[in-house]
Amino acid sequence: MSLLRLRELSVWFDDPARPAVDRVSLDLDAGRMLALVGESGSGKSLTALSILDLLPGGAHRRARAIELDGDNVLDWPESRRRALRGGRIGTIFQEPLTALNPLHRVEKQIGEAIRVHQKLGGAAVRRRCLELLEQVDLPASEDMLARYPHQLSGGQRQRVMIAMALANDPQLLIADEPTTALDVTIQETILELLKRLQRERHLGVLLISHDLGLVGRFAEDVAVMHQGRVVEYGDTDRVLNRPEHDYTRHLLAAEPGGRPRPTATDAPVLLRAEQLEMHFSGRRRGWLGARETVAAVDGVSFDLRRGETLGVVGESGSGKSTLALILLRLIRARGKVVLLDQSLDTLSGRALRPWRKHMQVVFQDPYGSLNPRLTVHQAVEEGLRVHHKSLNADQRAERVRALLAEVGLPADSGDRYPHEFSGGQRQRIAIARALILEPDLLILDEPTSALDRSVQAQVLALLKDLQQRRGLSYLFISHDLKVVRAISHRLLVMRHGKVIEHGDTERVFEAPEQAYTRRLIEAAFNRDGKQAVAQ
Amino acid sequence: MRTEAIWHRQWRAFRRNRRGLWSLYLFLVLFVVSLGAELVANDKPIAVRYQGELYWPVFQVYPETAFGGLFETEANYRDPYVRELIEEDGWMLWPPIRYSYDTINYELTVPAPAPPSAENWLGTDDQGRDVLARLIYGFRLSVLFGLILTVASSAIGIVVGALQGYYGGWLDLAGQRFLEIWSSMPILYLIIVISSFVVPGFWTLLVIMLLFSWMTLVDLVRAEFLRARNLDYVRAAQALGVRTPVILFRHMLPNAMVATLTYLPFVLNASVILLTSLDFIGFGLPPGAPSLGELLGQGKANLHAPWLGLSAFVTLALMLSLLVFVGEAVRDAFDPRKYHADAGERP
């Protein structure tokens, strides 16, 4: 008998004829991990939430059966179903920072889950908390129990979340994108932990993820969801290596691949950075003590040639984004930035303005990078208003239209507002805004990280295409080594603000010099499910 | 959803709140009527026809001699002698209430304050002036005072908050410390002290209050700008080389206005209350000015004439409640969860 049995589960919002989850049937046995994969909006999270009775307001659910250990949960009264959550079913959410109460110490976070479901005294709860910390590989100390969420790293927070989910010895663990917000090397350790717990405690784990690599490495079974329906379901090895459904093939093909087109080796140097250095001042030691300083960027130097892409990789906090802001002169730093033989650091605000049109930027978050109150046309034409004052409104409109078409947006996009576009389309708008000035250099700060894999592939293809046609240089910042490998000619590996490795992309990937680089590469590539399914 | 500005959706969300919408309509009607107070309550007729000629006493000053009287001074149309002169050879069109805020009814048969009657619908105050006329003028004065104070103090507050938030650093630090010191001044006592050596008029009172009331919005706008200056679209605009004032007003202010506008009805309320309380204790507008606070004060001094206190109370309660209801509806309209929910419902 399976631990969890779903039969014809449907979820819809307004119209039962357009369900967000469409007659999904799944089985999960104890001691196994079932992965629900799909792109955003495919209904995978709704499926999980409807097992927990946690659907958002306005959502309706219908199912023939939601069985837990052979018992149909749908027949139970509300109060009994509520006791499931945090009891027999533990849950781990994506963003541990928002899922933890910022005002509660670790002890209270974990202890609360225990107190709600078990009648235990203070000392017993504390003992149980320490046990749980040990199980999730956190130091089982009083010090750890007394910490607040902001004093923990992302990985530690996720471990606390897992400890909370385990507090009442659940049979089923639902993990909704548990590692998406984490760095690659940490993702790895968190999933290893989940895997170990699954085996030791004979748990059923329902893992929701968009990352096929990760899934292939850890899950025993996979269900691929597309537009609310399970299109392919079966053994991980079989689904990922011999996919039967077109959509699964499409997803697998969307994993970034290919290599950048080679460039001329004698291309002139466009941008040169010399010994860039930037410190954040931290906490003061005592009242009159010196401030501690944290080096965000520490002695970074590189050259970037015309038509070339320089990838910058590193984990969060390594100073990649700060580097972008320094190059754009949005923050001040020590060191030299030379663009087209002009040293930018000696220029002041007004003198700098004409130089800005040579260097533009695209940011990560397609939702935050466009002003919600400007139409697409207004957003894209803004650069022309600043740098080409002689153009009249019609000429500007003409250029904007041509460019929107070039980045692959529908013809009527100009009059619409950003919220009417999908993430990938917004990123195209942001690219158009940067390109309207015909810059020589585009700084791309995680331009594809917030996008689904297949959309990512389209945006990458667009970027390669534009580079070819316009002879652009890119500084491509990313934490995703697969993406970087697909687009960069040369690579800069950063850690704690320093460049620890610098060289041709293929050379770095084939023969990394630093142990850290090797770890990053392993974390990114070793989990190509096509090779190994963890046993 | 196409080409639909956020403003439209917000207006729709505003209208969804029926109470707020009706409050807004009612308030606007009252305000517009009170703007034309001279045509509603006046001791001069709106139009006079005398010997075949039209006169507009509300808008123009005519001497008594124009109607065949004796004096060169302005005609007193309430004087039975003048009335007789005109009605012999013409007619007069009176406003519905034949009293202005400062007209004293000398024909009272009972000692002032006189109770409500057919002549004085809400009675008279202790100087024999018509209460209803004073309410209409007082309402107008209060709302205008509140509006001007709100607009002026918001403008200053938004600019100061925007600069502090955008530039941050020392400017922000110095500004915040100044605000802390300045906001610890006791406004009421300060005004009492000042009014002991200057007789405050409408504008002096406004300026004095403005000195302190601009601080309400600073913290709010500052926080919004502190947040917004790190948003990617602001950074992108900076990278495009857009000038700072353009960034402030095109990219940041419209998005910060959401929080700001939500506050405005409540700032307006606070201004009205402050003016009323000053008038109540006698340190507000000059004596004789139509003021709700002064009427409240009279009500307190003449407890045997309950129509004074009641009229002022009902007027104030109505005005402030309407503004609060409007304010709530505005707050709902600007709540992104509400207007996005609204957008989501549409096909």
Side-chain angles (χ1 to χ4, degrees), chain A residues 313 491-495 498-501 508 516-517 520:
Chain A
V313 297
L491 200 60
L492 213 61
V493 183
M494 286 185 73
R495 192 185 192 195
K498 289 197 174 66
V499 173
I500 61 162
E501 190 147 2
V508 174
Y516 177 73
T517 314
L520 276 182

Side-chain angles (χ1 to χ4, degrees), chain A residues 353 368 371 373 382 387 419, chain B residues 9 240-241 243 251 255 258:
Chain A
R353 194 168 294 139
N371 186 340
R373 283 169 202 275
E382 184 153 40
H387 292 281
H419 72 261
Chain B
R9 268 183 289 154
L240 281 170
R243 278 163 217 279
H251 289 283
N255 291 299
V258 172

Side-chain angles (χ1 to χ4, degrees), chain A residues 53 66 68 71-84 88:
Chain A
D53 264 349
I66 299 179
L68 203 60
D71 240 359
N72 196 344
V73 177
L74 295 171
D75 301 334
W76 292 5
E78 165 72 33
S79 58
R80 201 172 156 203
R81 285 212 300 257
R82 189 168 56 233
L84 278 179
R88 287 169 70 187

Side-chain angles (χ1 to χ4, degrees), chain A residues 325 328 330 350 353 356 359-361 363 365 368-374 378 382-383 386-387 389 412 415-417 419-420 433 437, chain B residues 1-7 9-10 231-233 235-243 246 250-252 254-255 258 339-340 344-345:
Chain A
L325 296 179
L328 290 162
L330 293 181
R350 188 175 289 273
R353 194 168 294 139
R356 287 203 179 277
M359 183 161 62
Q360 283 301 310
V361 63
F363 291 104
D365 177 12
S369 69
L370 294 168
N371 186 340
R373 283 169 202 275
L374 295 186
Q378 286 171 328
E382 184 153 40
V386 175
H387 292 281
K389 293 206 170 77
D412 63 343
D415 302 331
R416 291 154 68 182
Y417 285 87
H419 72 261
E420 299 171 53
R433 175 180 59 193
L437 293 173
Chain B
M1 283 300 298
R2 278 220 35 193
T3 62
E4 190 180 25
I6 290 172
W7 288 107
R9 268 183 289 154
Q10 283 168 345
L231 290 181
D232 283 346
Y233 62 78
R235 290 223 164 114
Q238 288 168 341
L240 281 170
V242 179
R243 278 163 217 279
V246 180
R250 184 174 156 101
H251 289 283
M252 298 173 80
N255 291 299
V258 172
Y339 68 72
H340 279 310
E345 275 168 24

